[in-house]
Amino acid sequence: EGKEHKLFLAFIRHGEQRLVKDEKTPVENEQDPPLTTNGKAQAKKTGEFLKKVLEEQEIKKVIIYSSPFLRAL
């Protein structure tokens, strides 16, 4: 009998980002605007949720594919 493998697949979008047109301070790279304070909090909460799920499901091997944009890292 073979080992049972668990699979958990998640598609996650980046958190709230700063809109260039809504800010008075210019953004260095308009194609990759930074996350807002709220967006950073959303990202942290998502990371904590994923960690909890992976630990509860005893998933040890994790593979992550991510966009190269800063808002997705």
Side-chain angles (χ1 to χ4, degrees), residues 19-53:
L19 298 176
V20 178
K21 64 181 181 183
D22 294 341
E23 296 292 328
K24 294 177 183 173
T25 308
V27 173
E28 213 172 286
N29 182 353
E30 292 183 10
Q31 300 303 314
D32 190 13
L35 293 177
T36 62
T37 301
N38 184 49
K40 290 176 184 176
Q42 291 169 335
K44 182 174 176 152
K45 188 174 181 180
T46 300
E48 291 167 350
F49 170 77
L50 285 174
K51 180 180 178 188
K52 179 181 173 191
V53 169

Side-chain angles (χ1 to χ4, degrees), residues 2-70:
K3 281 185 175 180
E4 180 183 321
H5 295 282
K6 293 184 180 184
L7 175 66
F8 173 79
L9 183 62
F11 292 91
I12 302 167
R13 196 166 193 281
H14 60 78
E16 178 183 81
Q17 62 187 10
R18 193 174 119 187
L19 298 176
V20 178
K21 64 181 181 183
D22 294 341
E23 296 292 328
K24 294 177 183 173
T25 308
V27 173
E28 213 172 286
N29 182 353
E30 292 183 10
Q31 300 303 314
D32 190 13
L35 293 177
T36 62
T37 301
N38 184 49
K40 290 176 184 176
Q42 291 169 335
K44 182 174 176 152
K45 188 174 181 180
T46 300
E48 291 167 350
F49 170 77
L50 285 174
K51 180 180 178 188
K52 179 181 173 191
V53 169
L54 294 173
E55 287 174 349
E56 287 174 354
Q57 297 296 317
E58 298 179 355
I59 296 173
K60 305 288 185 211
K61 184 176 181 181
V62 176
I63 299 171
I64 298 173
Y65 294 97
S66 175
S67 162
F69 289 116
L70 293 175

